[in-house]
Amino acid sequence: DLPEFHMPETCPECGSQVERTEGEAVARCTGALICPAQIKHGIRHFATRKAMDIEGLGDKIVDQLVEQGLVHTVADLYHLSFEQIASLERMGGKSAQNLLDALEASKKPALDRLLYALGIREVGEVTAHSLALHFGSMQALAASSEEDLVEVSDVGPVVAGHVAAFFQQEKNRHVAGGAPQAMRWSKQYGASARRIAALLAPPQPMIGRSVTWATSRTHFRPMGSTPLPDMPPEPLLSTG
């Protein structure tokens, strides 16, 4: 007979407490940003094509960066030197420079991509886009309450709770603030995008209603695309 399984009370990787949310089957380490296994997973997600798209930051490189104490959070990636990267196993000078170039190229993401890259629980690409469209800046999102969050399309009470809890933790706000500069979606862009979203919504009865429509050039771009040349993005987050 197999021995009876007992869920460990502490994480085997970092020693942090293990907790299970009532009603959920999954037990999770509470170590978050100090747990090596979670740090590695978070950095890998951060570098994926749909997130920050950092080419050359593969699993083996991530493992070495974390295990050698060179990277503790995703923000640390942007403080790596050529010498530190070149000293890693299987990393020559050309590969090290290519990775530095990829990191530099990722320093100005669209806000929705950065939100997705941070790995906030239950926040996928669609939800990240909705949050960016609604709040327009990282500061506004970080300051929002759960009541504010549930007003966003695609965000229910559970997701709102996860997002609010993420930004309530000082260490997460520090990481978000140390990540690369995000593009502020200006109030003009946000309003234009919301108008377009309204146009794409199912038609509503207009009988008995009068409408006055004034329009100007509208700026709209899909998630992760390059801002239009005549609408330069404003820096939001500082890399220090």
Side-chain angles (χ1 to χ4, degrees), residues 52-56 78 97-107:
M52 304 300 284
D53 193 17
I54 305 174
E55 188 174 353
Y78 297 93
Q97 188 58 53
N98 288 342
L99 179 52
L100 279 177
D101 292 343
L103 286 166
E104 184 66 27
S106 73
K107 281 185 176 180

Side-chain angles (χ1 to χ4, degrees), residues 16 115 118 127 134 172 183 187 230:
S16 298
L115 288 174
L118 289 174
T127 301
H134 185 89
N172 290 337
M183 297 310 184
K187 292 180 179 179
D230 60 338

Side-chain angles (χ1 to χ4, degrees), residues 1-51:
D1 292 338
L2 293 175
E4 184 178 354
F5 174 77
H6 295 279
M7 179 65 67
E9 297 181 355
T10 59
C11 172
E13 283 281 341
C14 68
S16 298
Q17 291 294 313
V18 171
E19 67 176 9
R20 177 184 293 170
T21 303
E22 185 177 354
E24 294 187 3
V26 178
R28 292 180 171 85
C29 165
T30 58
L33 299 177
I34 67 168
C35 178
Q38 293 193 65
I39 293 171
K40 291 176 183 178
H41 176 77
I43 294 172
R44 289 169 186 146
H45 170 75
F46 189 82
T48 56
R49 187 177 300 276
K50 292 182 178 181

Side-chain angles (χ1 to χ4, degrees), residues 215-231:
T215 184
S216 60
R217 183 175 179 185
T218 297
H219 300 276
F220 184 74
R221 59 188 177 91
M223 175 179 174
S225 63
T226 303
L228 293 174
D230 60 338
M231 187 179 175

Side-chain angles (χ1 to χ4, degrees), residues 40-227:
K40 291 176 183 178
H41 176 77
I43 294 172
R44 289 169 186 146
H45 170 75
F46 189 82
T48 56
R49 187 177 300 276
K50 292 182 178 181
M52 304 300 284
D53 193 17
I54 305 174
E55 188 174 353
L57 192 60
D59 291 355
K60 298 294 184 183
I61 302 302
V62 171
D63 289 345
Q64 292 182 72
L65 290 172
V66 174
E67 290 165 7
Q68 294 184 26
L70 297 174
V71 171
H72 301 281
T73 72
V74 295
D76 295 335
L77 292 170
Y78 297 93
H79 299 286
L80 290 170
S81 67
F82 174 85
E83 291 74 19
Q84 288 174 320
I85 297 175
S87 68
L88 300 176
E89 185 179 348
R90 299 181 181 179
M91 284 292 285
K94 183 176 181 179
S95 297
Q97 188 58 53
N98 288 342
L99 179 52
L100 279 177
D101 292 343
L103 286 166
E104 184 66 27
S106 73
K107 281 185 176 180
K108 292 184 178 180
L111 178 57
D112 49 357
R113 292 191 71 147
L114 178 55
L115 288 174
Y116 173 68
L118 289 174
I120 303 171
R121 191 172 167 193
E122 303 288 349
V123 176
E125 294 173 82
V126 174
T127 301
H129 183 80
S130 297
L131 289 168
L133 181 63
H134 185 89
F135 291 101
S137 73
M138 186 70 78
Q139 288 98 328
L141 174 58
S144 63
S145 65
E146 291 189 40
E147 290 74 17
D148 298 327
L149 288 161
V150 294
E151 295 179 3
V152 181
S153 173
D154 303 315
V155 174
V158 173
V159 175
H162 291 321
V163 174
F166 179 89
F167 285 107
Q168 284 169 3
Q169 297 187 49
E170 183 178 354
K171 58 187 178 183
N172 290 337
R173 293 196 301 272
H174 175 75
V175 169
Q181 293 182 350
M183 297 310 184
R184 179 191 296 273
W185 288 16
S186 71
K187 292 180 179 179
Q188 177 185 356
Y189 168 75
S192 297
R194 281 192 287 273
R195 284 198 296 269
I196 291 174
L199 288 172
L200 297 176
Q204 301 294 323
M206 300 296 291
I207 298 174
R209 299 174 63 184
S210 61
V211 177
T212 301
W213 182 268
T215 184
S216 60
R217 183 175 179 185
T218 297
H219 300 276
F220 184 74
R221 59 188 177 91
M223 175 179 174
S225 63
T226 303

